[in-house]
Amino acid sequence: MKIRRQNQTVFFKNEPKIIGHYSIVGPKEGKGNLRKYFSEINKDDDLFGQKTYEKAERVMIERALDGAIKDSNLKYDDIRLVMAGDLLNQIISSSYAARSFDIPYVGVFGACSTMVEALALSACLVDGGHFDTIACATSSHFSTAERQFRFPLELGNQRPPTSQWTVTGAGSDIVSIKGSGPKILCATFGKVTDYGINDVNNMGAAMAPAAMNTLVTHFKDTNTSPKDYDLILTGDLGKLGSEILIDLMEDKGYKLGLNYKDCGQIIFKRNQDVLMGGSGCGCSATVFNSIIMKKLLSGEYKKVLFMATGALLSTTSSQQGDTVPGIAHAVVVEGVKNE
Amino acid sequence: MQEQERNKRYNAYVEAKIAKTHAWPSLFNSFWVGGLICTLGQLINDLILLWFPSVSTQSAWTYTLIILIFLASLLTGIGVFDKIGAFAGTGTIVPITGFSNSIASPALEFKNEGIIFGMCAKMFIIAGPVIVSGTVASMIVGLIYLFL
């Protein structure tokens, strides 16, 4: 069996499917635009009953994995592998959450692109026949990200106008060769792209070139154009980043129209004081595993191009004055056909 | 070389794309909140002198500062100060309240990493540079006085 591959895109012929999904969010996201779609909202406690925010993030991943496995009507023994990642140093949230599951675990890191990275890798492993069912999950928490990357929570500072708000939430998907659900058709793996932005408060601008690069490669590899998709969804470019992406794509001869949306822009309401919009691994993970999956399952969306972007920086690299490299991975998911 | 050119162009493009913020509304908020804090300080100072006539002016200043530091830490602890700070910006940072907040907030944040290497060590991650530059400045002034 030869796997069809074109440049950076891998095509799946054995139809890996997303047979279960789950999203869990904190109080602020629960008041946002998508409150009707999330699987679980913790309305009043962003500590999830834990002592620290780091522990709370682990609980979110555990619950997301649990929920997705239940949603797929499988037992723990049926899951062959857990693939997860997050933003914290040494991806502690994922690894510590995996500790409570008796399932082999692989940690992945792609900053905020982790959800798509995990989906794409899972689809490859499942399609290749190495595993029949894989659970992927990612999470982010506003308070843990602030502590690691920015300032203490109670510091009375003003946020720069280009900054984004890290989503408190986790999402999980079960990718399997068996069962039924939206199919993953192909995956495009992106290159690390750096256009020399060193403002850590302007992630949208740092990640937009990577998004453009992956998107253009994807359209070329698959011989498609933006209008072939019901929805082109980016992870967390935010308001500024999306506008830049639209400009950059236009430069390359592709026009992103009304079917282009950004998770960071739709998750919160305008009056929630989030500036450019949501960000973090949890942003794309929760948006995809709520409204998008519902619409893929109902057949409202037939073909969705889901691309998450990540900024591959650390606090050390940014304090040493390095620029912010970006990455973007994409998967194409086909909605369930209703006969 | 080509890459540098591209990055330079991209940075210039992004710079132009960022929506310009209006300085005046935030300056206005800084001004009146900052002014209010200073008036409050003066009020505390005057009340101390009024109620405790035996206290010297010099000591009254010290007590005023202690009270302001206490109030800012208290507001930080109950989670109010960050909201005032986000609204007033420099208005709360420049008076001693900002210094108090910059010590109290990391202390709260890193408390769960232990008392010694968590709270005590990381208490100064924001205020540290201020303390260092203050000390260096006073050393330079001291040297100047020595030779004058």
Side-chain angles (χ1 to χ4, degrees), chain A residues 272-283:
Chain A
Q272 282 187 295
D273 199 20
V274 292
L275 302 158
M276 290 291 117
S279 71
C281 299
C283 183

Side-chain angles (χ1 to χ4, degrees), chain A residues 75-294:
Chain A
K75 288 193 263 325
Y76 291 108
D77 294 346
D78 300 322
I79 311 294
R80 295 276 169 260
L81 187 70
V82 168
M83 194 181 277
D86 56 90
L87 287 177
L88 299 188
N89 290 340
Q90 285 78 38
I91 54 169
I92 47 169
S93 307
S94 306
S95 306
Y96 277 73
R99 187 172 62 172
S100 44
F101 292 87
D102 190 23
I103 306 171
Y105 159 77
V106 170
V108 287
F109 179 78
C112 307
S113 71
T114 308
M115 190 72 243
V116 174
E117 185 186 16
L119 274 175
L121 287 172
S122 302
C124 286
L125 290 171
V126 165
D127 190 64
H130 306 290
F131 292 89
D132 43 328
T133 308
I134 299 178
C136 353
T138 72
S139 72
S140 59
H141 194 301
F142 173 75
S143 304
T144 59
E146 284 294 303
R147 172 209 190 85
Q148 182 172 309
F149 293 105
R150 291 169 206 106
F151 294 116
L153 289 175
E154 299 299 335
L155 185 72
N157 60 334
Q158 287 179 321
R159 305 173 73 80
T162 52
S163 67
Q164 289 169 263
W165 189 279
T166 309
V167 167
T168 300
S172 176
D173 285 296
I174 309 294
V175 179
S176 179
I177 205 82
K178 298 177 284 193
S180 63
K183 290 171 198 157
I184 303 177
L185 300 181
C186 61
T188 306
F189 292 95
K191 293 177 183 166
V192 176
T193 311
D194 193 337
Y195 273 31
I197 295 284
N198 48 20
D199 181 2
V200 290
N201 287 307
N202 195 354
M203 293 296 182
M207 299 188 294
M212 179 271 286
N213 201 319
T214 305
L215 212 48
V216 169
T217 313
H218 176 84
F219 289 141
K220 278 188 185 148
D221 285 358
T222 56
N223 213 359
T224 53
S225 71
K227 59 179 187 297
D228 292 322
Y229 300 92
D230 293 324
L231 178 71
I232 297 170
L233 186 73
T234 51
D236 57 352
L237 288 176
K239 187 170 172 288
L240 181 68
S242 322
E243 284 170 11
I244 293 174
L245 178 64
I246 292 172
D247 282 1
L248 290 174
M249 287 305 285
E250 207 170 347
D251 243 20
K252 299 275 170 190
Y254 293 95
K255 195 162 165 35
L256 294 177
L258 287 173
N259 61 348
Y260 168 63
K261 290 205 165 62
D262 180 67
C263 297
Q265 279 200 83
I266 54 181
I267 187 163
F268 291 114
K269 286 184 177 164
R270 261 171 202 282
N271 60 7
Q272 282 187 295
D273 199 20
V274 292
L275 302 158
M276 290 291 117
S279 71
C281 299
C283 183
S284 54
T286 56
V287 173
F288 179 74
N289 287 307
S290 53
I291 183 166
I292 310 298
M293 273 302 281
K294 291 231 159 66

Side-chain angles (χ1 to χ4, degrees), chain B residues 24-36:
Chain B
W24 290 109
S26 41
L27 278 179
F28 177 73
N29 288 337
S30 298
F31 183 75
W32 77 260
V33 177
L36 200 69

Side-chain angles (χ1 to χ4, degrees), chain A residues 52 54 143 147 151-158 161-162 194-197 202 204-206 208-209 240 243-244 247-248, chain B residues 6-7 10-11 13-14 17-18 21 76 79 81-82 85-89 92-93 101-102 105-106 108-110 112-113 126:
Chain A
T52 68
E54 283 73 15
S143 304
R147 172 209 190 85
F151 294 116
L153 289 175
E154 299 299 335
L155 185 72
N157 60 334
Q158 287 179 321
T162 52
D194 193 337
Y195 273 31
I197 295 284
N202 195 354
L240 181 68
E243 284 170 11
I244 293 174
D247 282 1
L248 290 174
Chain B
R6 179 201 69 186
N7 292 357
Y10 183 67
N11 268 287
Y13 155 79
V14 170
K17 187 101 186 159
I18 294 170
T21 47
T76 305
F81 196 92
D82 57 326
F87 172 77
T92 51
I93 294 172
N101 170 250
S102 72
S105 60
L108 273 173
E109 184 93 9
F110 293 99
N112 54 28
E113 284 177 21
I126 292 162

Side-chain angles (χ1 to χ4, degrees), chain B residues 16 21 31 42 45 51 68 76 85 101 138:
Chain B
T21 47
F31 183 75
Q42 189 60 51
N45 199 44
W51 290 338
L68 282 176
T76 305
N101 170 250
S138 56

